[in-house]
Amino acid sequence: MAPRTLLQFFHWYYPADGSLWNEVAKASCDLAAMGVTDVWLPPAYKGASGQQSVGYDSYDLFDLGEFDQKGAIATRYGDRTGFEGATKALRDAGIGVILDVVFNHKIGADEIEPVRVRRTNPDDRNQIEDEAFEAHAWTRFTFPGRQGQYSEFVWDSRCFTGVDHVEQPDEDGVFRLVNEYGDGEWHDEVDGENGNYDYLMGADVEFRNQAVYEELKYWGRWIAEQVPCNGFRLDAAKHIPAWFFRDWVGHMRESVDSELFVVAEYWHPDMAALGQYLEQVDRQLMLFDVALHHRFHEASRAGGDFDLRTLFDNTLVAAMPDHAVTIVGNHDTQPLQALEAPVEDWFKPHAYALILMREQGTPCLFHPDLYGARYSDTGGDGEVHDIMIAPVDCLPRLVQARQRFAHGAQTDIFDDPHCLMVVRHGTHEQPGAILILTNRDSMEKTVELGSDHADAAFVDYLGHCDEERVADGEGRLTVRVAPGSVSLWVRSDVLA
Ligand code: CA
């Protein structure tokens, strides 16, 4: 089976012109030829901000750009027909479809309703005032534009744990809705930041309500019947009780597809927290390797001062490789976003080469690194910035190289603070490769490949070094890397 390679086919500033689904369909054959095996699409359903919504302000999970709600029929990415076309094109090209879903909260309620709430200390959510008071909150979702099609479920205040805004009296903060679930407490099995990080935003979903729970399982089965679905990317997992996903993922694998690929966004660099979470979900899913992404960011900033031998220290891919989705960027860390931590251009080939050629981890490419991006927005300093992200020139070649050469046993040669080597030894049927990269000057390194490679000629598959290198009679090969660069040495006879 081809090694799995994901592509996140969107970014935060992808134009809100309804074109994305068509672009997915147009790109699908090229992506398959390159070696992309699965595409992660943005949330396909209607968000509270309608056609401006990137998709993380969930309004109606059943409106895939089909109903006149929140100011338009289509979403930012196109209408339901376009979404069906995009997913079908991917399936026809043999590419898996990974759907993004936000279960944690809903935003943009249709009606306000009377509620009883208790004030909560935003910095320590376990401090909930004893006294409840009467107010009104936007917690009733009736979806008037959809009129009960696909689901007649109406969400009301019993479907949520909390809100950040009440009226009559008007007040902002964090409010625990008084309901019959959880003895007045927030959910357990959530992240411990702020005491208890159940509440994130909007009307935060109450998973202990059995009707809600069943509705979300029904939605999972429903979406898999509407379009091709090979997996899910689960948003905001640290704000959702782990026991919910433990059950939900199991239910989806039983009722939809036992091979579903599921990756959760648990945005935490601490391995102990991630390890505990994986145990809580019975190790049924993958997590993004936030720590490795941060290491790439730091290495790119530090340039030649960074000790590359420490690059994988305290990362998920080092600790739990079978559960790590490795990334170089995403929509939350791109420039001008709140979690901004971009990897600088010069280091992106290094980072991608490592995640694509090593056996450990499941790599995920980021759309702008393949296609480039240009956008403007207000940054944290209040100023408007114009951002241009250049595509990584050698990225398509690296994705191809993963399919062609990332085979067989692996030897990491991490003995030099400024030069890493990864040797893939190949198998009887499939060739290997020698990856070498540096954050300083040009380097030459000798590696023992064994007598199978005696007198064999090698070239740099990435074309960053243009000479040919020939192994000696014992299969000893000396390879080169240019200053601050990456080379991937492969046998020239397999290219012929
Ligand atoms: Ca929550």
Side-chain angles (χ1 to χ4, degrees):
M1 205 177 104
R4 197 187 283 271
T5 308
L6 273 63
L7 165 63
Q8 176 181 0
F9 201 102
F10 66 103
H11 63 93
W12 196 268
Y13 297 99
Y14 195 91
D17 58 2
S19 68
L20 186 127
W21 299 143
N22 290 337
E23 292 301 317
V24 170
K26 273 194 272 178
S28 54
C29 288
D30 288 346
L31 292 174
M34 190 190 301
V36 171
T37 61
D38 299 86
V39 164
W40 158 21
L41 298 173
Y45 46 78
K46 193 68 56 72
S49 49
Q51 282 191 301
Q52 293 305 312
S53 170
V54 176
Y56 296 101
D57 54 347
S58 298
Y59 166 67
D60 183 2
L61 299 183
F62 290 96
D63 181 358
L64 306 174
E66 184 177 3
F67 303 100
D68 189 1
Q69 302 190 112
K70 299 299 172 194
I73 290 172
T75 71
R76 183 186 191 94
Y77 307 116
D79 63 12
R80 177 170 166 139
T81 306
F83 179 53
E84 289 173 359
T87 51
K88 181 176 185 302
L90 290 171
R91 165 111 351 147
D92 290 348
I95 293 177
V97 176
I98 311 294
L99 301 176
D100 195 323
V101 59
V102 184
F103 284 147
N104 180 67
H105 49 266
K106 282 189 165 317
I107 296 178
D110 301 296
E111 296 171 25
I112 196 166
E113 58 184 354
V115 291
R116 284 172 59 77
V117 295
R118 297 159 69 199
R119 286 186 196 88
T120 298
N121 180 348
D123 302 320
D124 181 358
R125 310 291 176 78
N126 293 319
Q127 291 180 14
I128 306 171
E129 286 185 5
D130 290 335
E131 193 121 341
F133 64 97
E134 310 276 337
H136 287 69
W138 290 92
T139 45
R140 192 169 168 82
F141 293 76
T142 59
F143 315 112
R146 180 159 57 79
Q147 298 201 329
Q149 197 168 337
Y150 305 128
S151 166
E152 293 182 347
F153 194 90
V154 170
W155 296 66
D156 63 21
S157 66
R158 291 168 301 172
C159 303
F160 302 105
T161 54
V163 291
D164 58 4
H165 172 74
V166 292
E167 298 183 6
Q168 307 167 51
D170 289 14
E171 199 173 319
D172 292 323
V174 177
F175 304 96
R176 177 74 177 93
L177 288 157
V178 176
N179 63 25
E180 63 262 52
Y181 309 107
D183 206 19
E185 301 295 315
W186 300 100
H187 284 117
D188 61 359
E189 295 193 17
V190 293
D191 191 69
E193 196 176 333
N194 302 318
N196 173 306
Y197 216 171
D198 180 3
Y199 186 82
L200 177 64
M201 62 170 70
D204 216 272
V205 169
E206 176 59 82
F207 296 92
R208 293 165 297 200
N209 179 331
Q210 195 65 24
V212 166
Y213 191 86
E214 292 303 324
E215 176 72 355
L216 297 179
K217 288 202 289 191
Y218 166 66
W219 179 83
R221 299 191 304 274
W222 175 83
I223 190 78
E225 286 168 5
Q226 308 304 305
V227 291
C229 170
N230 301 90
F232 292 95
R233 180 267 184 191
L234 307 172
D235 185 70
K238 68 183 184 183
H239 310 285
I240 294 171
W243 52 258
F244 172 73
F245 279 141
R246 186 168 63 231
D247 291 0
W248 190 86
V249 172
H251 179 73
M252 287 303 114
R253 291 216 170 106
E254 275 168 26
S255 56
V256 173
D257 178 355
S258 61
E259 301 288 303
L260 280 181
F261 179 87
V262 183
V263 56
E265 180 216 23
Y266 197 103
W267 206 252
H268 211 305
D270 176 50
M271 285 313 109
L274 297 187
Q276 184 190 22
Y277 184 71
L278 283 170
E279 291 306 321
Q280 287 174 332
V281 295
D282 284 350
R283 303 176 81 88
Q284 291 181 89
L285 42 78
M286 315 273 292
L287 301 173
F288 292 105
D289 195 343
V290 181
L292 180 65
H293 177 35
H294 284 169
R295 296 298 285 159
F296 287 154
H297 168 66
E298 289 159 15
S300 77
R301 287 284 160 94
D305 294 330
F306 192 88
D307 183 345
L308 291 172
R309 294 171 301 182
T310 67
L311 196 57
F312 290 93
D313 288 1
N314 304 313
T315 62
L316 186 64
V317 72
M320 289 164 270
D322 295 345
H323 293 282
V325 172
T326 47
I327 56 170
V328 177
N330 81 358
H331 60 286
D332 287 320
T333 64
Q334 71 184 100
L336 306 183
Q337 278 301 293
L339 301 173
E340 173 171 338
V343 175
E344 294 195 5
D345 286 353
W346 75 273
F347 197 74
K348 283 182 183 174
H350 299 57
Y352 274 116
L354 286 166
I355 67 172
L356 287 163
M357 291 310 293
R358 291 180 81 244
E359 189 179 355
Q360 292 78 18
T362 299
C364 182
L365 323 175
F366 185 38
H367 188 281
D369 292 334
L370 201 52
Y371 298 108
R374 263 192 116 130
Y375 56 90
S376 302
D377 197 12
T378 309
D381 57 4
E383 304 284 317
V384 172
H385 297 263
D386 296 316
I387 301 292
M388 197 175 92
I389 302 177
V392 180
D393 288 340
C394 63
L395 189 52
R397 199 84 174 146
L398 281 169
V399 177
Q400 289 166 6
R402 175 172 173 79
Q403 299 298 330
R404 293 188 69 178
F405 306 113
H407 305 301
Q410 174 180 315
T411 307
D412 288 332
I413 306 172
F414 291 1
D415 58 359
D416 184 320
H418 302 295
C419 181
L420 300 185
M421 289 181 81
V422 177
V423 181
R424 296 303 301 265
H425 294 276
T427 65
H428 285 302
E429 295 82 31
Q430 293 173 303
I434 302 112
L435 172 68
I436 179 169
L437 56 87
T438 180
N439 62 2
R440 281 198 181 171
D441 301 332
S442 183
M443 294 267 185
E444 292 225 347
K445 293 269 179 184
T446 300
V447 58
E448 310 266 354
L449 297 175
S451 54
D452 288 354
H453 299 284
D455 305 314
F458 287 76
V459 293
D460 177 6
Y461 189 68
L462 304 180
H464 295 158
C465 293
D466 55 12
E467 74 268 27
E468 189 176 76
R469 293 278 166 130
V470 180
D472 70 11
E474 271 87 55
R476 204 177 290 119
L477 176 72
T478 300
V479 293
R480 185 171 76 86
V481 62
S485 185
V486 180
S487 285
L488 187 72
W489 294 89
V490 301
R491 281 178 66 138
S492 33
D493 54 0
V494 305
L495 298 177

